[in-house]
Amino acid sequence: MKKLLLSFAFALVSMFTFAQSTWSVDPMHSSVNFNIKHMGISFVQGRFDKFDGTVVTPGAGLDNAKFSFSVQTESINTGVEPRDKHLKSADFFDAEKFPEMKFESASIVKGKNNSYTLKGKLTIKNVTKEVNIPMIFGGIIKNKQGKEIAGLQAKFSVNRIDYNIVYDPTGAGVAKDVEVNAYFELVKK
């Protein structure tokens, strides 16, 4: 009887161990973009060229998955070198002192269809705040090499003042709210 119980326990532990999957961001098929209103009448668009992330799923779906993403602030790119240099300075991201922004999930809530809400902590500069990020899960398919890939899309706004990015605190020239659009293609390891 003892052997039977030990065998069952081992099988159960093995099942949960093998059911867990780790997915990593494919930077060639992903992007982290932003839009911010300028002078109240137009928009500046940009992106971050260096970012990374993983998603650990305990089973076949996203239930109880753990998300971890980071963005290198030095990689900001608006297509205008003097503006990018200013955005890397202490007026904005202070990229030398704060080289990355991070998001760590605490939970995930399923919505309708393929929508989810990621709840977690977003760290920009020296500030960490709890955020809720709406996300669309695009599904899972196999690529030409036979590897499983998944697609995620997140669209949310961040008030830059909340994260000590206080250049033009009135928001008259550079708006306070920044719209972030992140598109991630993940590869199962």
Side-chain angles (χ1 to χ4, degrees), residues 2 34 40 74 81-82 126 134 146 148 169 177:
K2 187 175 179 180
F34 65 88
E74 183 71 28
E81 190 174 330
N126 57 347
E148 285 186 274
D177 292 324

Side-chain angles (χ1 to χ4, degrees), residues 23 54-58 62-69 104-108 118:
W23 302 75
T54 58
V55 177
V56 178
T57 56
L62 292 179
D63 294 339
N64 300 313
K66 296 293 180 194
F67 294 74
S68 177
F69 296 104
E104 295 286 335
S105 71
S107 65
I108 183 169
L118 282 176

